[in-house]
Amino acid sequence: ANKQGYDIDVIVSSNNYEYAIGKKPHWNRLPMLDEYLNKMENGVYYYDYVMWLDADACFRVNNNNINVFDNILTKYSDKDFIFSEDTNEFVTYNILLIISICFIVFIYILSYQIKMDIPLYYTLIIYFLIFFLIVGFLMIKKNKYDYCLNSGIIIIKNTDYSRKILKFWLSEECYVHRVKPWQDQGCLRYSMYKNIHNIKQHSVTLKFGILQQFNYKPQDTSLIVHFAGSKSHQRNDIFNNLKQEWQIY
């Protein structure tokens, strides 16, 4: 931020942004974003863009392309929101499907080897077929009703449209209808699925690995390294090691 001339605020407590009783802290990022988008000076909105970055993420300082952030803003200057894909969430379902198919084949072969009782054979087959159908149904439902994006990194262009979307994200409607089990991220996904206020036309979701990458590999070129799901003590060790590697003192 210092090198590129951007303002950066590190909010160490969300006590001033208690969104609502009963909602988890994830939701506090929305009123924070709303506040920064509406900050004004001499009757003019202070920021052209506002970017949210989770506390378990950091800019990749060793990126050879020091203009990667500006290049993203320039390329998608016609978009009000720049999102990042999440990791492939279908991997678990694919594994379950493969396992269920393998079990069905295994039972079929085993029935001939040990001459399994017919009732037991059919019972096992039926159980695994039901399991197979349930997993398949969940995959279809997820593909239809979910939208794979991660709210740990959000870039917002300060426009009337983006401020309107923030108001929707802050609404009770979005909270109630969010894609569960996600919190505010589920709200973002719901707005994409329902295409609230034509958000799909006003946003771009970058492929995973462009805007962010989970975990750190020196050869990666993403703008952000995001250590999602890591524990606090783990993050301290990780960031201290990165500071030494990147010679940040």
Side-chain angles (χ1 to χ4, degrees), residues 120-176:
L120 176 61
Y121 168 74
Y122 281 115
T123 300
L124 291 174
I125 289 293
I126 288 171
Y127 276 131
F128 281 109
L129 281 175
I130 292 173
F131 177 75
F132 178 84
L133 290 173
I134 290 174
V135 173
F137 170 76
L138 291 174
M139 287 186 69
I140 294 172
K141 181 180 179 182
K142 185 170 186 62
N143 181 61
K144 183 177 180 181
Y145 296 105
D146 202 354
Y147 200 89
C148 188
L149 61 81
N150 182 280
S151 63
I153 291 93
I154 308 173
I155 301 174
I156 306 175
K157 188 176 183 179
N158 199 352
T159 63
D160 292 337
Y161 177 83
S162 62
R163 291 189 295 274
K164 179 171 69 173
I165 287 292
L166 253 295
K167 295 300 183 188
F168 174 74
W169 289 346
L170 286 162
S171 70
E172 193 66 19
E173 176 189 352
C174 202
Y175 175 76
V176 171

